[in-house]
Amino acid sequence: MFKKISVFGVGLIGGSFALALKKAAAVQEVVGVGRRMETLARAKELGIIDTACDVVADAVIGADLILIAAPVAQTEAILASIAPHLQPGTVVTDAGSTKSDVVVAARKMLGDKIGQFVPGHPIAGREQNGPDAAIVDLYVGKKTVLAPLPENSAEDVERVAGAWKRCGAIIHRLTAEEHDRVFAAVSHLPHLLAYALVDDIARKPHADLLFQYAASGFRDFTRIAGSSPEMWRDISLANQAALLGELDAYMEQLASLRALLAERDGKSIESVYANAQRARHNWIKTIEAAEQQNKQGGD
């Protein structure tokens, strides 16, 4: 399917993408580009990439597809380095968790080549980072959101979609603005809350005692606080407006619950909890039904 794919960022996201395409026999050569040669060397040792490259021109020229899988704050600089060498026929995509800022950066750096950039976001991850965290089946049965631009050709969008499908992903489409509003609520805010809770506990004078008795509920709620601080700093700032809106709404909910607790209004507290329980049960049923449908479709 692809003769040459270049991956900027060979950690969990980019590395798993490369491994999946290799397993599917969908690519002849994977070129890795990164900030540290030792990271690229490790990716090559693990079989994630075939070639470690520190010259952007060599990575870009002749590539069928370029994936930017670096923290979103690096996207503009990476696009600037790619632009002078970007040839007709090469498609560029990204895996960033925000899209509006990425589109702005792409328009600024690619200019009249913007049609060759198809924004994307695979909805999958782990708490580990780096090449050693990459796994071949990370994207199997998971959603990948594409946010095509008006300038994109249907062929280029399908090329990107086809790559993710070969990784086992299910393709969804949103506009960049829709994407950022949705993920501010269901991804970016939960990460902010998890980081805030663990940081709050860690700063208490009796933190050791508290962590000693923290059990599965605390572990499950705060699991995502084990993710990369650099990456989530960048995501939070990139989606600042939408995240602030969701945070303000959540703080109103907390203030409301605090008032109910202060008033010992057990009936109203239980009503909030019951509504949340129903919503979560329905969400889980929907996920399980979709997974079963995808499994049957793949049989």
Side-chain angles (χ1 to χ4, degrees):
M1 185 176 180
F2 298 101
K3 289 183 179 180
K4 174 181 174 179
I5 288 179
S6 295
V7 180
F8 284 70
V10 294
L12 169 65
I13 299 301
S16 296
F17 179 78
L19 286 175
L21 289 179
K22 285 189 163 196
K23 181 181 179 182
V27 60
Q28 292 180 13
E29 180 188 15
V30 176
V31 177
V33 189
R35 292 180 293 181
R36 293 181 288 272
M37 285 305 296
E38 57 266 30
T39 302
L40 295 175
R42 179 58 177 162
K44 188 173 181 180
E45 180 184 348
L46 293 169
I48 294 171
I49 62 175
D50 303 301
T51 305
C53 187
D54 58 358
V55 179
V56 172
D58 293 342
V60 173
I61 295 172
D64 301 307
L65 180 68
I66 297 171
L67 173 68
I68 300 174
V72 290
Q74 299 176 28
T75 303
E76 182 172 319
I78 292 173
L79 286 169
S81 71
I82 289 172
H85 316 290
L86 187 58
Q87 300 169 307
T90 299
V91 181
V92 184
T93 188
D94 78 306
S97 296
T98 56
K99 295 273 71 78
S100 297
D101 63 310
V102 167
V103 171
V104 170
R107 291 192 181 282
K108 177 181 177 182
M109 293 300 145
L110 297 183
D112 59 4
K113 298 179 182 179
I114 186 61
Q116 294 175 245
F117 180 73
V118 181
H121 177 203
I123 315 304
R126 306 169 71 198
E127 289 70 62
Q128 295 86 358
N129 305 296
D132 287 277
I135 55 175
V136 71
D137 60 350
L138 180 66
Y139 303 114
V140 174
K142 303 294 174 44
K143 298 179 181 70
T144 289
V145 175
L146 299 185
L149 304 175
E151 295 90 345
N152 293 146
S153 69
E155 180 183 0
D156 285 351
V157 174
E158 186 50 42
R159 187 186 301 186
V160 175
W164 286 112
K165 288 176 183 176
R166 295 299 291 270
C167 295
I170 302 160
I171 304 301
H172 289 244
R173 297 193 187 193
L174 296 170
T175 67
E177 294 75 16
E178 289 170 337
H179 171 280
D180 289 354
R181 287 196 299 269
V182 167
F183 286 92
V186 300
S187 177
H188 307 166
L189 178 64
H191 276 82
L192 184 151
L193 299 178
Y195 282 122
L197 177 59
V198 176
D199 181 67
D200 180 58
I201 297 292
R203 292 175 185 274
K204 295 182 185 295
H206 56 312
D208 290 344
L209 179 65
L210 295 175
F211 282 125
Q212 179 182 346
Y213 289 99
S216 58
F218 183 85
R219 181 190 63 214
D220 293 345
F221 182 78
T222 62
R223 173 185 61 81
I224 50 180
S227 303
S228 165
E230 177 190 13
M231 180 179 75
W232 282 99
R233 173 204 66 198
D234 292 348
I235 291 169
S236 298
L237 293 175
N239 203 20
Q240 181 198 49
L243 182 53
L244 282 173
E246 293 298 331
L247 183 58
D248 287 344
Y250 190 76
M251 290 172 68
E252 288 181 11
Q253 172 78 330
L254 288 180
S256 176
L257 275 171
R258 188 190 187 287
L260 295 177
L261 183 61
E263 296 164 4
R264 302 188 64 84
D265 187 347
K267 183 177 180 180
S268 296
I269 291 173
E270 183 180 357
S271 178
V272 172
Y273 290 178
N275 183 56
Q277 181 193 51
R278 284 191 300 272
R280 192 179 192 281
H281 284 172
N282 289 336
W283 170 60
I284 294 297
K285 288 179 182 177
T286 301
I287 290 176
E288 291 174 345
E291 288 176 347
Q292 184 62 29
Q293 184 177 6
N294 293 333
K295 182 178 179 182
Q296 291 172 350
D299 292 341

